[in-house]
Amino acid sequence: HDEQAQTVAAVLLVLPTAHAADVLSYFSPARQQQIIDRMSRTQLLSTAVAKSLTQALVQSLTAPPEQTPQERLARILRHLAAA
């Protein structure tokens, strides 16, 4: 579970604060705390990782509107894990 929290933290770190807070609200309070903890301990992302993550976010945000926010987040996380 900690790896997943680290991946979510990496995604949230590149989002605008308001959007990151919105995404974080989908998680349980305990999971939110794990993610916030990982965010506070995560170092800056390399340029390559940040670029890959940005591409995943753009693809997700331009995805068909029938996808739920959870499906979009899952798509972003899968893309990041594959990078």
Side-chain angles (χ1 to χ4, degrees):
H1 291 295
D2 194 43
E3 272 308 312
Q4 294 172 351
Q6 182 175 353
T7 303
V8 174
V11 170
L12 296 182
L13 285 170
V14 299
L15 292 177
T17 305
H19 292 180
D22 186 43
V23 171
L24 194 59
S25 72
Y26 286 98
F27 296 94
S28 70
R31 193 69 172 141
Q32 288 177 17
Q33 188 57 49
Q34 291 172 344
I35 294 166
I36 290 168
D37 180 56
R38 292 302 300 179
M39 289 174 75
S40 70
R41 294 187 286 146
T42 299
Q43 296 180 357
L44 294 177
L45 299 175
S46 72
T47 303
V49 171
K51 183 177 179 180
S52 177
L53 185 53
T54 300
Q55 289 173 344
L57 289 170
V58 168
Q59 288 175 358
S60 178
L61 294 173
T62 58
E66 61 269 5
Q67 284 189 324
T68 66
Q70 294 86 351
E71 290 170 330
R72 288 181 180 189
L73 179 58
R75 184 176 179 192
I76 292 167
L77 296 176
R78 282 193 303 274
H79 183 84
L80 183 59

